Amino acid sequence: MLEMKEQLKSELSEAKTAEAVEQIRIKYLGRKGIITTLAKNTDFSKLSVEEKKAFGGKLNELKSFAEEALTAAKEMAAASHVAKKSTGLDLTLPGSSGKLGSLHPISLIQMELETIFQGMGFTVVSSPECELEYYNFDAVNLPADHPAREMQDTYWMTNGMLMRTHTSANQVRTMEKMGVPLKAIFPGRCFRNESADMSHENTFYQCEGLMVDENISVANLIAVMKTLLSEIFHRDVTVRLRPGFFPFVEPGFELDLQCIFCSGAGCSTCHGTGWIELIPCGLVHPNVLKFGGVDPEKYSGFAFGVGLTRLAMMKYGIPDIRLFNAGDLRFNEQFPVYI
Ligand code: FA5
């Protein structure tokens, strides 16, 4: 009888539905069931009083055990059926392991830049994407009739505001808000009414940097840019400055990085020149300091506006800028969860 109990237990553990449990009940307790037959086929007249007592006791115990085990198995099967029906979940199935998400390459490069600049004592400032014409153009020395406005066509709101064309729009806001001396960066999204190709998008990211204090010179600018680039590319870098025109800086420069792929020998990334044009920058124009309420006789500063999207392309070897905004998970999933 002990064996029969074990066999019953093992069969019930396999039974997942009410129907399967019922089949087992019939097998053991039905009219021709194993336990019923055992009782029927025993010739009690041949047993002594003690034997009858002992056998009858064990048989009753086996019957009660079977009835209780069958009732419990039936309830469990019913409960699992309800859970499956109401939630669509089968809690008895083995679990599936979760998949870790990854960060967008722009988020990765932005986080990296923020960490580098915070290490140099810069504050990270958030700034509006939808701007007043004043801050985007006039306050950075680009009055309404200035021909350089042509180079930054954008999207205008019906209320006269615009989607900012560059993060330089936050220069005067930051001077007004923080006063001087100041060291700040403001990364963010910019918009230009341009048709997209491999290296141009209508929506892209820049990171502006602004440092204003007494006696700030081009030497400070170069030192900060070299620190930034050597940290980003994890190696010593060589840079050069070429004259560049931006109405909000004087003098203005294009900072070129000696090609990190060919060390200046010339390759397809640098179009055979050995240099990669990377960061427009310069010393803040006295007019912009004045718009920010800063005395240009006492203070000077530098500003730069690095294209974050293009920097990410170089760092991660992304050949086409249009991949960033395409929303294709096969692209996004190639980047690490954390740097
Ligand atoms: C400016 O936007 C200036 N505000 C930068 C600046 C700041 C100069 C402070 C001096 C002092 P520019 O138009 O060159 O400059 O854009 C800066 C960077 O933004 C470019 O080098 C490029 O990396 C990126 N960029 C510009 N237009 C696009 C575009 N359509 N798609 C992707 N990246 C772009």
Side-chain angles (χ1 to χ4, degrees):
M1 286 194 210
L2 199 62
E3 269 174 26
M4 213 179 284
K5 264 189 187 176
E6 289 306 315
Q7 190 188 336
L8 175 65
K9 266 206 272 184
S10 136
E11 285 179 32
L12 283 177
S13 71
E14 299 290 318
K16 300 285 179 230
T17 61
E19 292 73 31
V21 176
E22 178 60 9
Q23 287 307 316
I24 298 172
R25 191 196 66 76
I26 293 168
K27 180 175 170 186
Y28 284 86
L29 293 177
R31 268 198 306 129
K32 292 180 185 166
I34 299 171
I35 298 175
T36 320
T37 317
L38 185 67
K40 265 191 202 162
N41 291 353
T42 307
D43 187 353
F44 282 88
S45 62
K46 289 189 178 150
L47 300 178
S48 68
V49 177
E50 277 71 33
E51 283 171 336
K52 269 187 206 163
K53 244 178 150 179
F55 184 80
K58 279 187 185 163
L59 195 66
N60 281 341
E61 197 209 321
L62 177 64
K63 246 177 122 178
S64 317
F65 171 82
E67 279 164 359
E68 278 171 25
L70 280 157
T71 308
K74 209 168 165 183
E75 280 168 6
M76 253 178 73
S80 140
H81 179 68
V82 170
K84 243 194 268 180
K85 248 183 136 176
S86 59
T87 63
L89 273 178
D90 183 352
L91 299 177
T92 60
L93 284 175
S96 56
S97 58
K99 203 171 158 196
L100 284 177
S102 47
L103 286 171
H104 193 275
I106 296 289
S107 306
L108 284 172
I109 199 106
Q110 183 174 325
M111 283 160 63
E112 204 177 344
L113 244 82
E114 288 177 2
T115 307
I116 295 167
F117 277 105
Q118 278 167 336
M120 290 191 273
F122 281 69
T123 307
V124 180
V125 174
S126 61
S127 48
E129 291 176 349
C130 187
E131 250 307 354
L132 294 170
E133 180 181 358
Y134 170 73
Y135 285 112
N136 195 83
F137 290 125
D138 302 80
V140 283
N141 218 18
L142 272 158
D145 56 356
H146 200 294
R149 278 204 185 191
E150 290 279 308
M151 284 147 50
Q152 298 191 3
D153 186 18
T154 188
Y155 306 97
W156 292 83
M157 306 291 113
T158 47
N159 65 1
M161 291 179 81
L162 53 85
M163 300 311 290
R164 67 169 172 201
T165 57
H166 54 174
T167 42
S168 301
N170 206 44
Q171 283 190 13
V172 167
R173 274 185 185 282
T174 306
M175 285 189 251
E176 286 174 349
K177 202 160 53 185
M178 294 176 68
V180 287
L182 75 84
K183 275 161 87 170
I185 59 162
F186 11 107
R189 205 152 46 150
C190 303
F191 308 82
R192 289 189 195 174
N193 186 8
E194 285 182 21
S195 37
D197 59 28
M198 278 175 80
S199 51
H200 293 85
E201 259 288 7
N202 52 32
T203 305
F204 57 94
Y205 283 76
Q206 288 185 346
C207 178
E208 191 89 359
L210 181 63
M211 179 172 181
V212 184
D213 205 336
E214 290 178 40
N215 302 317
I216 295 296
S217 72
V218 176
N220 300 102
L221 169 66
I222 295 174
V224 170
M225 295 296 91
K226 278 190 84 166
T227 306
L228 165 68
L229 294 172
S230 54
E231 296 256 348
I232 290 275
F233 294 110
H234 305 297
R235 68 188 78 178
D236 281 338
V237 293
T238 306
V239 298
R240 73 176 183 190
L241 292 183
R242 283 182 294 113
F245 174 70
F246 301 93
F248 30 92
V249 281
E250 181 55 44
F253 307 107
E254 290 287 356
L255 183 136
D256 297 341
L257 170 70
Q258 189 176 66
C259 184
I260 49 167
F261 299 103
C262 64
S263 303
C267 67
S268 59
T269 307
C270 61
H271 305 294
T273 63
W275 295 92
I276 296 168
E277 182 178 316
L278 206 56
I279 310 181
C281 52
L283 294 188
V284 183
H285 195 287
N287 287 353
V288 179
L289 290 173
K290 278 191 219 157
F291 276 117
V294 176
D295 179 1
E297 298 297 326
K298 186 168 177 205
Y299 290 98
S300 54
F302 68 74
F304 62 89
V306 57
L308 265 192
T309 312
R310 294 209 184 137
L311 197 59
M313 288 172 82
M314 274 199 65
K315 174 151 177 143
Y316 299 118
I318 298 165
D320 192 324
I321 198 170
R322 290 166 292 196
L323 289 165
F324 286 97
N325 294 343
D328 186 337
L329 284 182
R330 289 170 304 176
F331 171 71
N332 294 8
E333 280 168 359
Q334 294 175 48
F335 297 93
V337 176
Y338 194 68
I339 35 172

